[in-house]
Amino acid sequence: MIVVMEPRASEADIKKVIARIEELGLKAHPSRGTERTVIGVIGDERVIKREQLALLPHVENVIPILKPYRLASREFRPQDSIVDVEGVKVSGKEVVVMAGPCSVESEDQVMRVAEVVRAAGVRIMRGGAYKPRTSPYTFQGLGEDGLKLLAKAREKTGLRIVTEVMESADVDMVAEYADLIQIGARNMHNTKLLRSLAKVKKPVLLKRNFAATLNEFLMSAEYLLSGGNDQVILCERGIRTFVDYTRNTLDLNIVPAVKLLSHLPIIVDPSHGTGRHDLIIPMSRAAIAAGADGLLVEVHPNPAEAFSDGEQALTPDVFVQLMKELRPIASAVARVVV
Amino acid sequence: MIVVMEPRASEADIKKVIARIEELGLKAHPSRGTERTVIGVIGDERVIKREQLALLPHVENVIPILKPYRLASREFRPQDSIVDVEGVKVSGKEVVVMAGPCSVESEDQVMRVAEVVRAAGVRIMRGGAYKPRTSPYTFQGLGEDGLKLLAKAREKTGLRIVTEVMESADVDMVAEYADLIQIGARNMHNTKLLRSLAKVKKPVLLKRNFAATLNEFLMSAEYLLSGGNDQVILCERGIRTFVDYTRNTLDLNIVPAVKLLSHLPIIVDPSHGTGRHDLIIPMSRAAIAAGADGLLVEVHPNPAEAFSDGEQALTPDVFVQLMKELRPIASAVARVVV
Amino acid sequence: MIVVMEPRASEADIKKVIARIEELGLKAHPSRGTERTVIGVIGDERVIKREQLALLPHVENVIPILKPYRLASREFRPQDSIVDVEGVKVSGKEVVVMAGPCSVESEDQVMRVAEVVRAAGVRIMRGGAYKPRTSPYTFQGLGEDGLKLLAKAREKTGLRIVTEVMESADVDMVAEYADLIQIGARNMHNTKLLRSLAKVKKPVLLKRNFAATLNEFLMSAEYLLSGGNDQVILCERGIRTFVDYTRNTLDLNIVPAVKLLSHLPIIVDPSHGTGRHDLIIPMSRAAIAAGADGLLVEVHPNPAEAFSDGEQALTPDVFVQLMKELRPIASAVARVVV
Amino acid sequence: MIVVMEPRASEADIKKVIARIEELGLKAHPSRGTERTVIGVIGDERVIKREQLALLPHVENVIPILKPYRLASREFRPQDSIVDVEGVKVSGKEVVVMAGPCSVESEDQVMRVAEVVRAAGVRIMRGGAYKPRTSPYTFQGLGEDGLKLLAKAREKTGLRIVTEVMESADVDMVAEYADLIQIGARNMHNTKLLRSLAKVKKPVLLKRNFAATLNEFLMSAEYLLSGGNDQVILCERGIRTFVDYTRNTLDLNIVPAVKLLSHLPIIVDPSHGTGRHDLIIPMSRAAIAAGADGLLVEVHPNPAEAFSDGEQALTPDVFVQLMKELRPIASAVARVVV
């Protein structure tokens, strides 16, 4: 942490800051520059709060030096973490495509999609039983009945299941059905939910909130890691910007940035990320080329009649085309799509 | 809803859209333009989903005409709603200032702030017992013990209490202590929490998510209204933009926009909205001048030692100055600050 | 400037950075922390470029300490600068309202607006003769003929004229007609235009680009100041965000922020800032309450037939109402509207 | 264009709108819905301005149906436009990599980079002689001397030259030296410059402003096309968002979006788009995988000593690595990198 003093700060002001730093158990290291004095704080700056120094007289700015996350950092763990979803390894050589409907709607729908995606090579099926919807007047998910349909599909097809949990009260129940538990973008900041999932013995898929910075995203992962769950997969799903031709702005830049700063796997959701079915294939190719460890894609047998988000779902035919186009891209970055 | 056909759409494509509209129980009204045919949908468009029409062949775009919210709209209720917080009326002639610490830290701290704000004319005290924090390594609130301290302050001072609830499981407990229950910005999209609060007989303070559009904000209010709770106060607290000299960008434009479109009261939180104590007085004046029904302001006896958000808290002295500066502004817009 | 070394940086890496700093004519001041070494750079950091240090081996980050602007800073000049527009003082006790049509369209239109705004107390009239339009198919301004009409209005009414120049080639010509020369938002980064205007003996109204940070805005002012023109008025006119109920997001937070960091006057354009005539009165009140030194407002005798931006123009009646509502607000912040 | 009436609009209000539409030479087609009447406007809506209808009494909204651009649209020209830069075809089978220094600094620097990039397969070299810089205290480019050095490099190596022009006064001069003339991001809205370049017989590289929507980007292209120059290459170079780990947010989504809506080629600048040399290789791979027709990449023999933007420049070695990694990606999307 660096404390920058205002030019008009007196010697007494500087001494006050130094005294406060020492009182907090750290060491101060002042440099008197030509325009300003800056004071380095030596020791673990995470134990103090900015304002303990920022609000002292004639302090101009307090600049943190250390990253706020520890366990999620590549410094803490230099090698890539591989997350195991019932035998499917995320962050290894394989690019893992997870696919399925936005919402679980009926047994027939789930089974049809399960067959389609399995036939195309998919080993993890997505499907939502609890849906956070903008409008109270729209379908909110089948709840536990939906989870049962997903379990049935798993039994029949061998597919693993990834599904969202929305509240800590439901964590145990969802964990019974899911192989990978999703924290949705709207819940990335839900610290109660994060704490509950930290205690579960299942891997977690953590989606980036549409207004989250990289630091905030990794700090949510830090809740899971520091609470005892190190099976965490990150997922980029689009951010909110001024752009209006896509529903969100899929931010692929975060993929190589995460790879530099963290050991955690990261996958990409081009369905929510763009909100447009006609952009999903090119943006999926781009995600893999950027280094993503997998994809999360919406597939529906009849998108026009989907209970939710039909405009961003692929038909079975287009999904097969997607898988076909991903293979040479994966191979170009020395990976494989099963 | 308006369906815009592509220029290359054939007569058969147009007929297909019309047939689908009628199948959905609505009436179609085509206009054949020089470049495109557009088809008006007559009836309550809220019963259909965009994609039921958008994914038909050669449909270029589907444009909604009606606003997605009903009960929150001024069309539904032309006169202003007045929310009663144990006798304090929000949205009447009085500009209601709610003030207090970010977090409840100790009995001494709460009592000191309570005295300060009451003496300055405040009748509703804020204070957080459950804190959604970015870092798992920081103070997360005193929980129910904090609520008890707030209740004690109420008993002693007569101040009403506004405090945040973070999960539906805690709603009943928090409702026992609070006079006004806050839904934090991170939970504006938490539909389970919204549904729980819709059933409580207490007014709700709904904070805007930092990435929420006006429609989304009013749709969260719609969850409360349609679920049975019409005692809803909106609160603007800053949005996320590229701007870096404030922690968030306080968006005062939403104040008069809400007044045009909705009957609900709206207050402004300049503390979170700017994240800088030195901008709070001018932005509070601006909020009242823009038409806000009140403010939510952080006050701490010693901001440098606050357990959270000290950089945006006012000292007691500066808070007194704020109240003094608000009075002539309120009077300039024909309102009063008590 | 602070150079943060990676944890794995060796003693040799640190020495290399120190040597480079000294080679560049500055002094290095290393602090060896528990997790990282940081090296303070002593001297005027503005003479070196970040990358001269950032790209050395095992440098993690380079953090600037000094603000990039000098002449525009309040440190350089602690008291407010007052800009004189032919006798109208901007940044004094008076809140200066500049008003007029978006585009100059005809003699009749200019004269009618001139009468209206003068009668309401305005002393500076705005009017565009050169219009930067998004579409090549729309009205682009009358050019010099428009300037002549503005001059005629000045002669007849005594109003001063503010008008935009779009290219350095036109600066001398526009300077002949204008009392205050406007640099539009799209040209805030146009360094050639800034350099030309730095040499003109007329005050300049510099509008913030809709994607400019505060530093960038003040750096554009720095082009003018360092080039020899210290008669600069800043103007906030809305930034681009995800928000869709206003055309732009008027960012009033910049008003008190500029007052803290700079000595330059700042006014607010609520017409472009919101893009909606029905939000202009409340946001104008808010701007003055936030501390703005004036307003730039569009007025048109018949907005529905304006050649440009009619939806954000006020009718004469509404403009009179605006002026009426501003007076008590100005008075509440110890200022006056003439 | 669709005019949506307020629910309270009377029959007389509706008639007034219809009369106005007819007066403007178009036909009106009203649909009386259950909650609102909407009126379709039949004919070329581009001849009227929104506000001519929006400001009539009890009009709630006016919604455009047609896209604002014509010549840039794929409707106007269904097949891809191929732009010829002295024999190098952009938008054909070849992915065209343009590379070189941010600024031209010296003959030695230009010649060294020219050799490096040519050896790696590049056929168009970039280099800036006029630099729009945020700070007046930094290097602003060598001007015409820089152009001469670029011409010398062309002579010696056979490389084509792409370089920026900043003002219409310089267009003829820059056109003498350049094979492809760049309009920088800060000038995308500079209509005078666009009009000048429309008259030049050279292809233009139009960079997206960092706050431009897709419509605005294509409307700038429309200035060129409608003015007579149809040799236009678009270039995505990052947008401004709340994200802080990249200097800008490279928005690859625009690549497939442009391919759907327009016939113009589009390339990607990952150097400005990310601002970080360590993200350029993965984001370049992603750009090609998304369907981009080429790249614009900064290369410098010694980035730490570059006069501008050194942190985003590749060293010669890393550039060679980039080219190597692009080849299999290009091949995966059925294209080639020479």
Side-chain angles (χ1 to χ4, degrees), chain A residues 20 49-52 133 137 140 167-168 170 192 195 211 216 222-223 240 304-306 310-311, chain B residues 20 49-52 133 137 140 167-168 170 192 195 211 216 222-223 240 304-306 310-311:
Chain A
R20 190 75 185 95
K49 296 189 301 294
R50 266 180 68 94
E51 49 264 42
Q52 289 181 309
R133 304 299 301 280
Y137 306 124
Q140 310 268 326
E167 243 198 353
S168 62
D170 298 336
K192 291 222 168 184
R195 286 183 185 284
E216 289 169 346
E222 192 85 3
Y223 266 94
R240 195 148 276 187
E305 294 305 317
E311 286 186 78
Chain B
R20 191 73 185 97
K49 294 189 302 294
R50 268 180 67 95
E51 49 264 42
Q52 289 180 309
R133 304 299 302 280
Y137 305 124
Q140 311 267 324
E167 243 198 351
S168 60
D170 297 338
K192 290 222 169 181
R195 287 182 184 284
E216 289 169 345
E222 191 86 4
Y223 265 94
R240 197 148 274 188
E305 294 307 315
E311 285 187 78

Side-chain angles (χ1 to χ4, degrees), chain A residues 216-236:
Chain A
E216 289 169 346
F217 193 18
L218 290 176
M219 285 309 278
S220 285
E222 192 85 3
Y223 266 94
L224 294 163
L225 298 170
S226 67
N229 190 340
D230 63 359
Q231 296 290 294
V232 178
I233 303 167
L234 304 173
C235 181
E236 157 64 20

Side-chain angles (χ1 to χ4, degrees), chain C residues 20 24 46 49-56 68-71 130-138 140 166-170 186-187 189-193 195-196 209-213 215-216 219-220 222-223 226 240 277 303-311 313, chain D residues 20 24 46 49-56 68-71 130-138 140 166-170 186-187 189-193 195-196 209-213 215-216 219-220 222-223 226 240 277 303-311 313:
Chain C
R20 191 73 185 96
L24 291 163
R46 296 183 191 93
K49 294 190 304 293
R50 267 180 67 94
E51 48 263 42
Q52 289 180 309
L53 302 173
L55 296 172
L56 292 174
Y69 46 87
R70 294 179 218 205
L71 308 178
Y130 295 92
K131 303 300 305 172
R133 305 299 301 280
T134 305
S135 167
Y137 306 123
T138 53
Q140 312 266 327
M166 281 171 61
E167 244 197 351
S168 60
D170 297 337
R186 287 175 178 81
N187 271 324
H189 294 296
N190 186 332
T191 55
K192 291 223 170 182
L193 185 58
R195 287 183 184 283
S196 297
N209 182 265
F210 40 84
T213 63
N215 272 357
E216 289 168 345
M219 285 308 278
S220 286
E222 192 85 4
Y223 266 93
S226 67
R240 197 148 272 189
H277 62 91
E305 295 306 317
F307 289 9
S308 58
D309 284 351
E311 287 187 77
Chain D
R20 191 74 184 97
L24 291 162
R46 295 183 192 96
K49 295 189 302 292
R50 266 180 68 94
E51 49 264 42
Q52 289 180 309
L53 302 173
L55 295 173
L56 293 173
Y69 46 87
R70 295 179 218 204
L71 307 179
Y130 295 93
K131 302 301 304 173
R133 304 298 301 279
T134 304
S135 167
Y137 306 123
T138 53
Q140 312 267 327
M166 280 173 60
E167 241 195 356
S168 59
D170 297 337
R186 288 175 178 80
N187 271 323
H189 294 295
N190 185 333
T191 55
K192 291 223 170 181
L193 185 57
R195 287 183 184 283
S196 298
N209 181 266
F210 41 83
T213 63
N215 272 357
E216 289 168 345
M219 285 309 278
S220 285
E222 192 85 4
Y223 266 93
S226 68
R240 196 147 274 188
H277 62 92
E305 295 306 317
F307 288 10
S308 57
D309 284 350
E311 286 187 78

Side-chain angles (χ1 to χ4, degrees), chain B residues 1 8 20 37 57 80 98 137 158 162 179 205 254 281-282 291-292 308 329 337:
Chain B
M1 203 171 259
R8 59 177 169 161
R20 191 73 185 97
T37 293
D80 287 345
M98 310 179 190
Y137 305 124
V162 52
D179 300 299
L205 181 68
I254 204 172
I281 289 184
S308 56
I329 295 284
V337 171

Side-chain angles (χ1 to χ4, degrees), chain A residues 108-300:
Chain A
D108 176 60
Q109 173 236 24
V110 171
M111 292 307 165
R112 280 169 68 193
V113 176
E115 289 306 336
V116 164
V117 300
R118 193 187 52 169
V122 165
R123 293 192 292 156
I124 304 180
M125 178 162 79
R126 61 153 290 154
Y130 296 93
K131 303 301 306 172
R133 304 299 301 280
T134 304
S135 167
Y137 306 124
T138 53
F139 180 64
Q140 310 268 326
L142 294 180
E144 194 169 357
D145 288 346
L147 296 175
K148 285 180 182 157
L149 294 177
L150 290 169
K152 212 164 176 177
R154 171 171 50 196
E155 229 170 279
K156 222 169 150 183
T157 59
L159 287 163
R160 289 82 175 155
I161 299 298
V162 51
T163 196
E164 178 169 354
V165 63
M166 281 172 58
E167 243 198 353
S168 62
D170 298 336
V171 163
D172 290 339
M173 194 254 287
V174 172
E176 268 177 55
Y177 296 97
D179 300 299
L180 174 62
I181 307 178
Q182 177 178 314
I183 300 178
R186 286 175 178 81
N187 271 322
M188 192 204 86
H189 293 297
N190 185 332
T191 56
K192 291 222 168 184
L193 185 58
L194 291 165
R195 286 183 185 284
S196 298
L197 282 164
K199 294 191 193 98
V200 165
K201 298 279 160 259
K202 293 263 171 159
V204 173
L205 181 68
L206 177 66
K207 297 188 89 172
R208 180 188 187 186
N209 181 266
F210 40 83
T213 62
L214 177 52
N215 271 356
E216 289 169 346
F217 193 18
L218 290 176
M219 285 309 278
S220 285
E222 192 85 3
Y223 266 94
L224 294 163
L225 298 170
S226 67
N229 190 340
D230 63 359
Q231 296 290 294
V232 178
I233 303 167
L234 304 173
C235 181
E236 157 64 20
R237 49 76 73 207
I239 56 172
R240 195 148 276 187
T241 71
F242 67 85
V243 167
D244 55 5
Y245 56 87
T246 41
R247 188 171 146 194
N248 295 289
T249 296
L250 187 69
D251 175 21
L252 291 184
N253 307 282
I254 204 172
V255 172
V258 160
K259 292 289 175 195
L260 284 173
L261 295 166
S262 176
H263 53 87
L264 295 172
I266 181 163
I267 70 169
V268 169
D269 172 352
S271 305
H272 287 88
T274 66
R276 293 180 56 149
H277 62 92
D278 49 8
L279 299 184
I280 290 173
I281 289 184
M283 294 312 290
S284 295
R285 290 190 317 242
I288 303 311
D293 297 305
L295 296 173
L296 186 68
V297 182
E298 296 194 356
V299 179
H300 195 282

